[in-house]
Amino acid sequence: STEVCSFGYMAPEQFSGVANARTDLYSAAATMLFLVSGTPPYAFPQERLRIDFRSKLRNATASHELADVFNLVEILLSPAPEDRCASTRDALDILRGQAPSRPNPTTAKLPVVAPKATTGKLRKPRGSKLQVDAVDGCVVIKVPAAGVTGTTAFTGAFAIAWNAAIAGATVSAFASGGLIPVLFTVPFWVAGAQVTKQAVSSVMLGEEL
């Protein structure tokens, strides 16, 4: 069989060909960890297949504003599927502070900040632009547009240069009078459109996970 995955975001049981809702929650937690820390999951140390992010993020994990998020991430990143939440609804309860966190016994020595009780909509961490909400029993993470940054400016400039070059090649192809040279530029136009879409999305739109 063939496994297609991103290293560090794949639950341990997937290496044995097992996949279920708890497997998806593991990947969602790995994505959440990257969003709140800016560090990919595989860059953190591991202990018995568990990602030990608390030892590298001591200041962040001690924050009461992020306590619910990190407690949930720790539970969902449990190596054993049975130690994770059974559904997204259980995960949402933890984010709302309506369920106690259940760290695995192997990491009981790590500091855990108890979640604060909240009601109503999910709270977002102080200073964070992420929006976490519940839609039809699912966790929805909305990442707002990045705006104009060095990265988005580079992507935009690359998109303009790419499309300009392809436009010149297309004009030359038309001038040669051959249909095959024109058709040859089509895949490059498609690639240019994707780069342009990515640039516009990063600046003006956002992402929804």
Side-chain angles (χ1 to χ4, degrees):
S1 61
T2 302
E3 298 287 349
V4 179
C5 65
S6 296
F7 181 71
Y9 297 84
M10 183 177 179
E13 67 269 15
Q14 281 192 273
F15 289 101
S16 300
V18 177
N20 50 43
R22 299 189 187 205
T23 305
D24 294 336
L25 288 174
Y26 183 100
S27 299
T31 302
M32 290 175 64
L33 179 59
F34 173 73
L35 290 174
V36 298
S37 69
T39 302
Y42 56 78
F44 291 98
Q46 293 193 14
E47 181 180 353
R48 297 184 178 182
L49 296 180
R50 176 182 289 274
I51 298 175
D52 180 17
F53 60 86
R54 290 188 182 274
S55 63
K56 295 294 184 179
L57 303 173
R58 293 188 182 277
N59 292 335
T61 55
S63 168
H64 286 286
E65 295 296 330
L66 290 171
D68 297 343
V69 174
F70 282 116
N71 283 337
L72 175 62
V73 168
E74 185 173 44
I75 293 172
L76 297 184
L77 289 180
S78 297
E82 59 269 20
D83 291 334
R84 302 175 205 147
C85 295
S87 66
T88 55
R89 188 173 300 277
D90 291 342
L92 285 171
D93 287 340
I94 293 176
L95 280 179
R96 295 190 181 108
Q98 296 175 356
S101 59
R102 303 179 291 104
N104 188 283
T106 60
T107 58
K109 62 181 181 294
L110 297 176
V112 178
V113 181
K116 297 188 298 181
T118 58
T119 57
K121 297 188 67 175
L122 298 177
R123 296 181 295 111
K124 66 177 181 180
R126 180 180 300 172
S128 173
K129 296 182 179 180
L130 297 179
Q131 298 178 10
V132 184
D133 208 345
V135 178
D136 296 331
C138 298
V139 178
V140 177
I141 302 176
K142 296 181 180 180
V143 183
V148 179
T149 64
T151 301
T152 57
F154 175 81
T155 304
F158 179 81
I160 293 174
W162 176 278
N163 289 315
I166 300 306
T170 303
V171 171
S172 299
F174 272 117
S176 67
L179 179 60
I180 294 180
V182 174
L183 294 177
F184 180 76
T185 64
V186 172
F188 296 94
W189 277 114
V190 173
Q194 293 177 341
V195 174
T196 302
K197 180 181 178 181
Q198 178 182 353
V200 173
S201 297
S202 299
V203 175
M204 303 181 63
L205 305 177
E207 294 187 56
E208 188 172 291
L209 306 175

PDB file of all heavy atoms in Angstrom, residues 114-145:
ATOM      1  N   ALA A 114      -4.839  24.454  34.119  1.00  0.00           N
ATOM      2  CA  ALA A 114      -6.244  24.065  34.045  1.00  0.00           C
ATOM      3  C   ALA A 114      -7.024  25.063  33.212  1.00  0.00           C
ATOM      4  O   ALA A 114      -6.801  26.270  33.301  1.00  0.00           O
ATOM      5  CB  ALA A 114      -6.838  24.002  35.455  1.00  0.00           C
ATOM      6  N   PRO A 115      -7.949  24.610  32.384  1.00  0.00           N
ATOM      7  CA  PRO A 115      -8.746  25.510  31.560  1.00  0.00           C
ATOM      8  C   PRO A 115      -9.720  26.318  32.398  1.00  0.00           C
ATOM      9  O   PRO A 115     -10.189  25.880  33.434  1.00  0.00           O
ATOM     10  CB  PRO A 115      -9.497  24.556  30.614  1.00  0.00           C
ATOM     11  CG  PRO A 115      -9.554  23.275  31.371  1.00  0.00           C
ATOM     12  CD  PRO A 115      -8.291  23.197  32.161  1.00  0.00           C
ATOM     13  N   LYS A 116      -9.990  27.516  31.938  1.00  0.00           N
ATOM     14  CA  LYS A 116     -10.961  28.368  32.598  1.00  0.00           C
ATOM     15  C   LYS A 116     -12.330  28.150  31.976  1.00  0.00           C
ATOM     16  O   LYS A 116     -12.460  28.018  30.763  1.00  0.00           O
ATOM     17  CB  LYS A 116     -10.570  29.842  32.455  1.00  0.00           C
ATOM     18  CG  LYS A 116      -9.243  30.177  33.120  1.00  0.00           C
ATOM     19  CD  LYS A 116      -8.995  31.662  33.110  1.00  0.00           C
ATOM     20  CE  LYS A 116      -8.904  32.210  31.713  1.00  0.00           C
ATOM     21  NZ  LYS A 116      -8.631  33.645  31.672  1.00  0.00           N
ATOM     22  N   ALA A 117     -13.348  28.108  32.803  1.00  0.00           N
ATOM     23  CA  ALA A 117     -14.702  27.876  32.305  1.00  0.00           C
ATOM     24  C   ALA A 117     -15.165  29.053  31.475  1.00  0.00           C
ATOM     25  O   ALA A 117     -14.992  30.208  31.847  1.00  0.00           O
ATOM     26  CB  ALA A 117     -15.656  27.666  33.483  1.00  0.00           C
ATOM     27  N   THR A 118     -15.745  28.755  30.331  1.00  0.00           N
ATOM     28  CA  THR A 118     -16.281  29.787  29.465  1.00  0.00           C
ATOM     29  C   THR A 118     -17.605  29.324  28.921  1.00  0.00           C
ATOM     30  O   THR A 118     -17.920  28.140  28.912  1.00  0.00           O
ATOM     31  CB  THR A 118     -15.337  30.083  28.276  1.00  0.00           C
ATOM     32  OG1 THR A 118     -15.138  28.865  27.550  1.00  0.00           O
ATOM     33  CG2 THR A 118     -13.985  30.603  28.750  1.00  0.00           C
ATOM     34  N   THR A 119     -18.381  30.242  28.462  1.00  0.00           N
ATOM     35  CA  THR A 119     -19.659  29.917  27.850  1.00  0.00           C
ATOM     36  C   THR A 119     -19.785  30.672  26.542  1.00  0.00           C
ATOM     37  O   THR A 119     -19.064  31.645  26.297  1.00  0.00           O
ATOM     38  CB  THR A 119     -20.830  30.317  28.771  1.00  0.00           C
ATOM     39  OG1 THR A 119     -20.733  31.723  29.064  1.00  0.00           O
ATOM     40  CG2 THR A 119     -20.770  29.540  30.078  1.00  0.00           C
ATOM     41  N   GLY A 120     -20.709  30.232  25.713  1.00  0.00           N
ATOM     42  CA  GLY A 120     -20.963  30.931  24.461  1.00  0.00           C
ATOM     43  C   GLY A 120     -19.945  30.553  23.397  1.00  0.00           C
ATOM     44  O   GLY A 120     -19.502  29.425  23.305  1.00  0.00           O
ATOM     45  N   LYS A 121     -19.501  31.548  22.615  1.00  0.00           N
ATOM     46  CA  LYS A 121     -18.600  31.290  21.510  1.00  0.00           C
ATOM     47  C   LYS A 121     -17.217  30.940  22.036  1.00  0.00           C
ATOM     48  O   LYS A 121     -16.827  31.283  23.140  1.00  0.00           O
ATOM     49  CB  LYS A 121     -18.512  32.518  20.594  1.00  0.00           C
ATOM     50  CG  LYS A 121     -19.833  32.873  19.941  1.00  0.00           C
ATOM     51  CD  LYS A 121     -19.641  33.950  18.924  1.00  0.00           C
ATOM     52  CE  LYS A 121     -18.816  33.486  17.740  1.00  0.00           C
ATOM     53  NZ  LYS A 121     -18.699  34.470  16.691  1.00  0.00           N
ATOM     54  N   LEU A 122     -16.438  30.228  21.209  1.00  0.00           N
ATOM     55  CA  LEU A 122     -15.096  29.856  21.591  1.00  0.00           C
ATOM     56  C   LEU A 122     -14.231  31.103  21.714  1.00  0.00           C
ATOM     57  O   LEU A 122     -14.339  32.026  20.920  1.00  0.00           O
ATOM     58  CB  LEU A 122     -14.501  28.916  20.533  1.00  0.00           C
ATOM     59  CG  LEU A 122     -15.226  27.595  20.345  1.00  0.00           C
ATOM     60  CD1 LEU A 122     -14.577  26.814  19.215  1.00  0.00           C
ATOM     61  CD2 LEU A 122     -15.202  26.796  21.625  1.00  0.00           C
ATOM     62  N   ARG A 123     -13.343  31.094  22.734  1.00  0.00           N
ATOM     63  CA  ARG A 123     -12.452  32.219  22.926  1.00  0.00           C
ATOM     64  C   ARG A 123     -11.211  32.054  22.063  1.00  0.00           C
ATOM     65  O   ARG A 123     -10.707  30.958  21.904  1.00  0.00           O
ATOM     66  CB  ARG A 123     -12.021  32.328  24.397  1.00  0.00           C
ATOM     67  CG  ARG A 123     -13.139  32.617  25.356  1.00  0.00           C
ATOM     68  CD  ARG A 123     -12.610  32.722  26.775  1.00  0.00           C
ATOM     69  NE  ARG A 123     -12.077  31.440  27.233  1.00  0.00           N
ATOM     70  CZ  ARG A 123     -10.801  31.196  27.458  1.00  0.00           C
ATOM     71  NH1 ARG A 123      -9.900  32.128  27.220  1.00  0.00           N
ATOM     72  NH2 ARG A 123     -10.393  30.017  27.895  1.00  0.00           N
ATOM     73  N   LYS A 124     -10.704  33.135  21.532  1.00  0.00           N
ATOM     74  CA  LYS A 124      -9.437  33.065  20.823  1.00  0.00           C
ATOM     75  C   LYS A 124      -8.352  33.631  21.732  1.00  0.00           C
ATOM     76  O   LYS A 124      -8.606  34.485  22.580  1.00  0.00           O
ATOM     77  CB  LYS A 124      -9.498  33.866  19.510  1.00  0.00           C
ATOM     78  CG  LYS A 124      -9.647  35.369  19.675  1.00  0.00           C
ATOM     79  CD  LYS A 124      -9.632  36.041  18.326  1.00  0.00           C
ATOM     80  CE  LYS A 124      -9.759  37.565  18.463  1.00  0.00           C
ATOM     81  NZ  LYS A 124      -9.740  38.224  17.155  1.00  0.00           N
ATOM     82  N   PRO A 125      -7.114  33.164  21.587  1.00  0.00           N
ATOM     83  CA  PRO A 125      -6.036  33.646  22.431  1.00  0.00           C
ATOM     84  C   PRO A 125      -5.827  35.144  22.265  1.00  0.00           C
ATOM     85  O   PRO A 125      -6.059  35.704  21.183  1.00  0.00           O
ATOM     86  CB  PRO A 125      -4.816  32.857  21.914  1.00  0.00           C
ATOM     87  CG  PRO A 125      -5.404  31.652  21.256  1.00  0.00           C
ATOM     88  CD  PRO A 125      -6.703  32.113  20.667  1.00  0.00           C
ATOM     89  N   ARG A 126      -5.382  35.789  23.333  1.00  0.00           N
ATOM     90  CA  ARG A 126      -5.141  37.227  23.275  1.00  0.00           C
ATOM     91  C   ARG A 126      -4.069  37.529  22.241  1.00  0.00           C
ATOM     92  O   ARG A 126      -3.011  36.914  22.214  1.00  0.00           O
ATOM     93  CB  ARG A 126      -4.681  37.724  24.653  1.00  0.00           C
ATOM     94  CG  ARG A 126      -4.388  39.225  24.697  1.00  0.00           C
ATOM     95  CD  ARG A 126      -3.936  39.620  26.093  1.00  0.00           C
ATOM     96  NE  ARG A 126      -4.972  39.327  27.063  1.00  0.00           N
ATOM     97  CZ  ARG A 126      -4.777  39.429  28.385  1.00  0.00           C
ATOM     98  NH1 ARG A 126      -3.592  39.769  28.863  1.00  0.00           N
ATOM     99  NH2 ARG A 126      -5.769  39.159  29.212  1.00  0.00           N
ATOM    100  N   GLY A 127      -4.333  38.504  21.396  1.00  0.00           N
ATOM    101  CA  GLY A 127      -3.388  38.906  20.369  1.00  0.00           C
ATOM    102  C   GLY A 127      -3.416  38.034  19.121  1.00  0.00           C
ATOM    103  O   GLY A 127      -2.748  38.326  18.149  1.00  0.00           O
ATOM    104  N   SER A 128      -4.175  36.950  19.155  1.00  0.00           N
ATOM    105  CA  SER A 128      -4.234  36.054  18.009  1.00  0.00           C
ATOM    106  C   SER A 128      -5.311  36.517  17.037  1.00  0.00           C
ATOM    107  O   SER A 128      -6.370  36.988  17.440  1.00  0.00           O
ATOM    108  CB  SER A 128      -4.537  34.628  18.468  1.00  0.00           C
ATOM    109  OG  SER A 128      -4.751  33.792  17.349  1.00  0.00           O
ATOM    110  N   LYS A 129      -5.036  36.366  15.750  1.00  0.00           N
ATOM    111  CA  LYS A 129      -6.008  36.712  14.720  1.00  0.00           C
ATOM    112  C   LYS A 129      -6.799  35.498  14.254  1.00  0.00           C
ATOM    113  O   LYS A 129      -7.681  35.619  13.414  1.00  0.00           O
ATOM    114  CB  LYS A 129      -5.285  37.353  13.526  1.00  0.00           C
ATOM    115  CG  LYS A 129      -4.613  38.682  13.873  1.00  0.00           C
ATOM    116  CD  LYS A 129      -3.949  39.295  12.641  1.00  0.00           C
ATOM    117  CE  LYS A 129      -3.303  40.625  12.979  1.00  0.00           C
ATOM    118  NZ  LYS A 129      -2.647  41.238  11.794  1.00  0.00           N
ATOM    119  N   LEU A 130      -6.476  34.333  14.796  1.00  0.00           N
ATOM    120  CA  LEU A 130      -7.205  33.128  14.434  1.00  0.00           C
ATOM    121  C   LEU A 130      -8.623  33.177  14.980  1.00  0.00           C
ATOM    122  O   LEU A 130      -8.867  33.732  16.044  1.00  0.00           O
ATOM    123  CB  LEU A 130      -6.499  31.892  14.983  1.00  0.00           C
ATOM    124  CG  LEU A 130      -5.084  31.595  14.472  1.00  0.00           C
ATOM    125  CD1 LEU A 130      -4.542  30.361  15.145  1.00  0.00           C
ATOM    126  CD2 LEU A 130      -5.079  31.421  12.970  1.00  0.00           C
ATOM    127  N   GLN A 131      -9.547  32.606  14.261  1.00  0.00           N
ATOM    128  CA  GLN A 131     -10.931  32.508  14.713  1.00  0.00           C
ATOM    129  C   GLN A 131     -11.307  31.035  14.775  1.00  0.00           C
ATOM    130  O   GLN A 131     -11.228  30.326  13.788  1.00  0.00           O
ATOM    131  CB  GLN A 131     -11.865  33.242  13.744  1.00  0.00           C
ATOM    132  CG  GLN A 131     -11.577  34.732  13.642  1.00  0.00           C
ATOM    133  CD  GLN A 131     -12.483  35.425  12.635  1.00  0.00           C
ATOM    134  OE1 GLN A 131     -13.441  34.839  12.157  1.00  0.00           O
ATOM    135  NE2 GLN A 131     -12.176  36.662  12.314  1.00  0.00           N
ATOM    136  N   VAL A 132     -11.655  30.581  15.976  1.00  0.00           N
ATOM    137  CA  VAL A 132     -12.040  29.186  16.179  1.00  0.00           C
ATOM    138  C   VAL A 132     -13.514  29.144  16.533  1.00  0.00           C
ATOM    139  O   VAL A 132     -13.964  29.831  17.450  1.00  0.00           O
ATOM    140  CB  VAL A 132     -11.212  28.533  17.306  1.00  0.00           C
ATOM    141  CG1 VAL A 132     -11.564  27.061  17.439  1.00  0.00           C
ATOM    142  CG2 VAL A 132      -9.729  28.707  17.041  1.00  0.00           C
ATOM    143  N   ASP A 133     -14.279  28.354  15.805  1.00  0.00           N
ATOM    144  CA  ASP A 133     -15.714  28.295  16.050  1.00  0.00           C
ATOM    145  C   ASP A 133     -16.221  26.886  15.775  1.00  0.00           C
ATOM    146  O   ASP A 133     -15.504  26.044  15.240  1.00  0.00           O
ATOM    147  CB  ASP A 133     -16.445  29.310  15.154  1.00  0.00           C
ATOM    148  CG  ASP A 133     -17.749  29.781  15.793  1.00  0.00           C
ATOM    149  OD1 ASP A 133     -18.214  29.125  16.744  1.00  0.00           O
ATOM    150  OD2 ASP A 133     -18.311  30.783  15.332  1.00  0.00           O
ATOM    151  N   ALA A 134     -17.444  26.659  16.153  1.00  0.00           N
ATOM    152  CA  ALA A 134     -18.086  25.358  15.926  1.00  0.00           C
ATOM    153  C   ALA A 134     -19.172  25.523  14.869  1.00  0.00           C
ATOM    154  O   ALA A 134     -20.032  26.391  14.991  1.00  0.00           O
ATOM    155  CB  ALA A 134     -18.689  24.822  17.218  1.00  0.00           C
ATOM    156  N   VAL A 135     -19.111  24.699  13.845  1.00  0.00           N
ATOM    157  CA  VAL A 135     -20.104  24.723  12.773  1.00  0.00           C
ATOM    158  C   VAL A 135     -20.568  23.291  12.539  1.00  0.00           C
ATOM    159  O   VAL A 135     -19.790  22.437  12.115  1.00  0.00           O
ATOM    160  CB  VAL A 135     -19.511  25.310  11.471  1.00  0.00           C
ATOM    161  CG1 VAL A 135     -20.564  25.269  10.369  1.00  0.00           C
ATOM    162  CG2 VAL A 135     -19.018  26.726  11.694  1.00  0.00           C
ATOM    163  N   ASP A 136     -21.836  23.036  12.849  1.00  0.00           N
ATOM    164  CA  ASP A 136     -22.420  21.706  12.655  1.00  0.00           C
ATOM    165  C   ASP A 136     -21.600  20.618  13.342  1.00  0.00           C
ATOM    166  O   ASP A 136     -21.348  19.544  12.782  1.00  0.00           O
ATOM    167  CB  ASP A 136     -22.553  21.391  11.156  1.00  0.00           C
ATOM    168  CG  ASP A 136     -23.523  22.324  10.462  1.00  0.00           C
ATOM    169  OD1 ASP A 136     -24.454  22.808  11.119  1.00  0.00           O
ATOM    170  OD2 ASP A 136     -23.336  22.584   9.251  1.00  0.00           O
ATOM    171  N   GLY A 137     -21.137  20.916  14.556  1.00  0.00           N
ATOM    172  CA  GLY A 137     -20.399  19.928  15.321  1.00  0.00           C
ATOM    173  C   GLY A 137     -18.948  19.765  14.918  1.00  0.00           C
ATOM    174  O   GLY A 137     -18.270  18.862  15.398  1.00  0.00           O
ATOM    175  N   CYS A 138     -18.442  20.625  14.042  1.00  0.00           N
ATOM    176  CA  CYS A 138     -17.049  20.540  13.594  1.00  0.00           C
ATOM    177  C   CYS A 138     -16.274  21.764  14.065  1.00  0.00           C
ATOM    178  O   CYS A 138     -16.845  22.850  14.231  1.00  0.00           O
ATOM    179  CB  CYS A 138     -16.968  20.451  12.066  1.00  0.00           C
ATOM    180  SG  CYS A 138     -17.771  18.997  11.373  1.00  0.00           S
ATOM    181  N   VAL A 139     -14.980  21.586  14.285  1.00  0.00           N
ATOM    182  CA  VAL A 139     -14.110  22.702  14.643  1.00  0.00           C
ATOM    183  C   VAL A 139     -13.680  23.401  13.361  1.00  0.00           C
ATOM    184  O   VAL A 139     -13.124  22.773  12.458  1.00  0.00           O
ATOM    185  CB  VAL A 139     -12.872  22.210  15.412  1.00  0.00           C
ATOM    186  CG1 VAL A 139     -11.950  23.379  15.742  1.00  0.00           C
ATOM    187  CG2 VAL A 139     -13.294  21.511  16.698  1.00  0.00           C
ATOM    188  N   VAL A 140     -13.928  24.691  13.266  1.00  0.00           N
ATOM    189  CA  VAL A 140     -13.557  25.476  12.100  1.00  0.00           C
ATOM    190  C   VAL A 140     -12.555  26.535  12.530  1.00  0.00           C
ATOM    191  O   VAL A 140     -12.834  27.344  13.410  1.00  0.00           O
ATOM    192  CB  VAL A 140     -14.780  26.154  11.451  1.00  0.00           C
ATOM    193  CG1 VAL A 140     -14.344  27.020  10.281  1.00  0.00           C
ATOM    194  CG2 VAL A 140     -15.786  25.109  10.999  1.00  0.00           C
ATOM    195  N   ILE A 141     -11.357  26.486  11.933  1.00  0.00           N
ATOM    196  CA  ILE A 141     -10.308  27.465  12.217  1.00  0.00           C
ATOM    197  C   ILE A 141     -10.179  28.378  11.012  1.00  0.00           C
ATOM    198  O   ILE A 141      -9.894  27.923   9.905  1.00  0.00           O
ATOM    199  CB  ILE A 141      -8.970  26.770  12.507  1.00  0.00           C
ATOM    200  CG1 ILE A 141      -9.111  25.807  13.687  1.00  0.00           C
ATOM    201  CG2 ILE A 141      -7.887  27.808  12.796  1.00  0.00           C
ATOM    202  CD1 ILE A 141      -7.859  25.007  13.962  1.00  0.00           C
ATOM    203  N   LYS A 142     -10.400  29.666  11.234  1.00  0.00           N
ATOM    204  CA  LYS A 142     -10.298  30.644  10.152  1.00  0.00           C
ATOM    205  C   LYS A 142      -9.018  31.456  10.318  1.00  0.00           C
ATOM    206  O   LYS A 142      -8.799  32.074  11.355  1.00  0.00           O
ATOM    207  CB  LYS A 142     -11.517  31.569  10.163  1.00  0.00           C
ATOM    208  CG  LYS A 142     -12.840  30.854   9.877  1.00  0.00           C
ATOM    209  CD  LYS A 142     -14.005  31.829   9.883  1.00  0.00           C
ATOM    210  CE  LYS A 142     -15.325  31.105   9.593  1.00  0.00           C
ATOM    211  NZ  LYS A 142     -16.477  32.025   9.603  1.00  0.00           N
ATOM    212  N   VAL A 143      -8.179  31.405   9.298  1.00  0.00           N
ATOM    213  CA  VAL A 143      -6.927  32.149   9.293  1.00  0.00           C
ATOM    214  C   VAL A 143      -7.134  33.401   8.442  1.00  0.00           C
ATOM    215  O   VAL A 143      -7.380  33.297   7.238  1.00  0.00           O
ATOM    216  CB  VAL A 143      -5.775  31.310   8.716  1.00  0.00           C
ATOM    217  CG1 VAL A 143      -4.466  32.080   8.795  1.00  0.00           C
ATOM    218  CG2 VAL A 143      -5.672  29.982   9.459  1.00  0.00           C
ATOM    219  N   PRO A 144      -7.090  34.601   9.045  1.00  0.00           N
ATOM    220  CA  PRO A 144      -7.344  35.813   8.282  1.00  0.00           C
ATOM    221  C   PRO A 144      -6.244  36.088   7.263  1.00  0.00           C
ATOM    222  O   PRO A 144      -5.162  35.485   7.319  1.00  0.00           O
ATOM    223  CB  PRO A 144      -7.388  36.905   9.363  1.00  0.00           C
ATOM    224  CG  PRO A 144      -6.549  36.363  10.467  1.00  0.00           C
ATOM    225  CD  PRO A 144      -6.776  34.870  10.452  1.00  0.00           C
ATOM    226  N   ALA A 145      -6.535  36.992   6.347  1.00  0.00           N
ATOM    227  CA  ALA A 145      -5.557  37.368   5.326  1.00  0.00           C
ATOM    228  C   ALA A 145      -4.306  37.941   5.972  1.00  0.00           C
ATOM    229  O   ALA A 145      -4.374  38.663   6.969  1.00  0.00           O
ATOM    230  CB  ALA A 145      -6.179  38.381   4.367  1.00  0.00           C
TER     231      ALA A 145
END
